[in-house]
Amino acid sequence: MYKSIETILIDIPTIRAHKLSVATMSTQTLVLVKITTDDGFIGWGEATTIGGLNYGEESPESVKTNVETYFAPLLKSVQGLNIAQTLKVIRKSINGNRFAKCAIQTALLDIQGKRLGVPVSELLGGRLRDALPVLWTLASGDTEKDIAEAQQLIEIKRHNAFKLKIGANKLQQDVDHVIAIKKALGDDISIRVDVNRAWSEIECIKGIQQLQDGGIDLIEQPCAIENTNALARLTQRFDVAIMADEALTGPDSAYRLAKQHGADVFAVKINQSAGLIEACEVAKIAKLAGIDLYGGTMLEGPIGTIASAHAFATFESLAYGTELFGPLLLTQDILKTPLQYENFELKVPTGSGLGIEVDEDKIDQLRRQ
Ligand code: MUC
Ligand code: MG
């Protein structure tokens, strides 16, 4: 069935330093998984982390090692199982490793889509839209540079909503930076912030009050991952929407958060959820609990980004749009035809599988030796 499972690390410089509270990125490492079947199908998957182990508990190197040491032999050992049965074997045999699981599942869905001649979105229940709104993250660390960057992106109709990464500086400095950008860009432009869990609960109360008064639309993961009670209290306290990001690690945590209405919005991510199927389950839990949705990113390259797009295209409502801009932050592409970003949206491919063509020569040039 599965003839080979190859894992490739690629380090690609970013177009500028990308500053988060947990790390400053100047390169992004893509972990590409290529699965080849006996009957000649090839499927691609991808995992990315942010700043090595700064963001989550998997690193590009751990994903590569664990895919090669544990996932690959397991996949080679399953004979005649369908994709659902194969994923069940993986879930049963391997704990954690959500990012590695996502990369493998993406490649299996790519193969299945190609085999059946349908896009991956159709394997996930069917797409409800062919394009997704995409925001841009301003994270140069400099207010004037961020304003100029945003104005240029509005001008060329690439993005009209922006997320600001804060939490690395003193609270008041960060809040003033956000309000200055909001004032410069005006009422028509949606501004959101991502604190990446940097604030204590008391800092959250002080900061969010000012951001709410300043017209900011969304506050992402302001406090610690484990402190879901604080996230729930902030959700009850403020009118501005509070979003869970790092606190969401798949359907189980989504269910626990939803039970206490611990957020107004869920940032759904395929890597954090352990796969596209699980990301769709997170979305379903949110829908049942009356929680809005946002399509998140782990700053994936084109493969993980388009896999996310196939999943998000099936969501009934996507009230806060997506942040599927990962490939645009990178200086090099690994596709033969780049993804299509136009009119503030990303097009979801209509070809079978992921609907993209990977440039293997480019990958060979870029792969880590
Ligand atoms: C995160 O926490 O949302 C997504 C966009 C970005 O700039 O960083 C990521 C991670
Ligand atoms: Mg976030």
Side-chain angles (χ1 to χ4, degrees):
M1 264 275 284
Y2 301 113
K3 196 166 82 181
S4 69
I5 297 105
E6 193 187 350
T7 318
I8 304 158
L9 294 183
I10 293 188
D11 303 297
I12 304 182
T14 55
I15 55 169
R16 59 150 164 73
H18 197 65
K19 239 180 141 209
L20 289 74
S21 73
V22 293
T24 299
M25 302 166 68
S26 51
T27 57
Q28 175 61 312
T29 304
L30 316 182
V31 189
L32 305 183
V33 173
K34 177 185 177 188
I35 300 182
T36 309
T37 67
D38 284 338
D39 54 346
F41 286 98
I42 294 176
W44 289 91
E46 182 193 327
T48 50
T49 69
I50 290 179
L53 284 170
N54 279 306
Y55 192 97
E57 61 283 85
E58 282 171 83
S59 69
E61 295 77 15
S62 81
V63 172
K64 181 170 163 56
T65 300
N66 288 343
V67 167
E68 286 170 354
T69 315
Y70 298 99
F71 288 80
L74 192 63
L75 276 178
K76 283 187 179 170
S77 75
V78 295
Q79 292 294 337
L81 298 188
N82 69 21
I83 179 167
Q85 292 162 335
T86 306
L87 293 172
K88 189 175 168 198
V89 169
I90 292 174
R91 274 197 296 277
K92 196 164 168 237
S93 316
I94 297 178
N95 278 314
N97 289 275
R98 300 189 308 277
F99 290 37
K101 281 177 179 161
C102 176
I104 295 283
Q105 187 189 108
T106 304
L108 295 180
L109 288 169
D110 190 22
I111 290 170
Q112 183 75 345
K114 285 168 177 163
R115 198 186 285 288
L116 300 177
V118 294
V120 165
S121 56
E122 304 315 292
L123 303 175
L124 299 170
R127 72 176 61 185
L128 294 167
R129 51 186 81 77
D130 289 316
L132 301 163
V134 179
L135 67 58
W136 179 251
T137 294
L138 298 168
S140 75
D142 179 288
T143 310
E144 292 311 315
K145 270 194 199 154
D146 280 359
I147 293 170
E149 192 173 299
Q151 282 168 336
Q152 195 248 340
L153 293 168
I154 296 166
E155 177 77 31
I156 61 169
K157 286 187 157 214
R158 219 184 66 187
H159 307 280
N160 56 7
F162 298 91
K163 160 163 142 175
L164 275 52
K165 292 298 219 180
I166 59 172
N169 303 311
K170 290 222 166 64
L171 184 141
Q172 199 54 50
Q173 187 187 338
D174 271 344
V175 168
D176 293 347
H177 164 78
V178 175
I179 304 293
I181 292 176
K182 174 69 193 166
K183 280 201 177 125
L185 298 181
D187 286 346
D188 293 346
I189 301 300
S190 177
I191 301 293
R192 300 102 183 261
V193 300
D194 189 355
V195 192
N196 281 121
R197 69 214 192 217
W199 289 346
S200 67
E201 188 169 358
I202 198 79
E203 286 175 317
C204 286
I205 291 169
K206 199 173 160 212
I208 294 172
Q209 186 64 56
Q210 295 183 67
L211 294 168
Q212 177 173 293
D213 295 345
I216 302 313
D217 290 324
L218 185 63
I219 314 290
E220 180 171 345
Q221 195 66 47
C223 56
I225 298 178
E226 306 73 26
N227 203 350
T228 50
N229 291 332
L231 200 65
R233 283 190 290 272
L234 296 167
T235 302
Q236 312 312 322
R237 182 178 184 125
F238 290 105
D239 291 339
V240 62
I242 306 289
M243 180 158 78
D245 181 13
E246 287 94 317
L248 278 170
T249 53
D252 291 339
S253 56
Y255 176 64
R256 273 183 267 113
L257 267 175
K259 265 210 301 198
Q260 58 172 163
H261 202 84
D264 298 299
V265 188
F266 279 179
V268 184
K269 295 181 175 178
I270 61 166
N271 269 295
Q272 286 279 32
S273 303
L276 289 73
I277 294 168
E278 291 79 358
C280 292
E281 289 171 358
V282 170
K284 182 59 65 128
I285 291 166
K287 184 186 172 229
L288 295 172
I291 291 170
D292 282 328
L293 289 177
Y294 176 68
T297 178
M298 283 303 291
L299 300 175
E300 289 98 347
I303 297 172
T305 295
I306 225 58
S308 303
H310 279 282
F312 302 162
T314 71
F315 295 177
E316 268 191 51
S317 153
L318 204 48
Y320 287 84
T322 80
E323 57 181 18
L324 291 179
F325 65 85
L328 300 170
L329 191 65
L330 305 177
T331 50
Q332 306 261 9
D333 201 356
I334 53 160
L335 298 185
K336 287 194 176 153
T337 310
L339 301 185
Q340 256 183 287
Y341 289 92
E342 58 188 38
N343 257 329
F344 312 110
E345 292 187 321
L346 166 66
K347 291 255 183 317
V348 189
T350 51
S352 55
L354 292 173
I356 50 175
E357 216 186 327
V358 170
D359 185 340
E360 298 214 35
D361 293 336
K362 199 70 197 280
I363 289 175
D364 277 340
Q365 282 164 29
L366 294 170
R367 67 193 295 155
R368 199 190 281 180
Q369 297 305 324

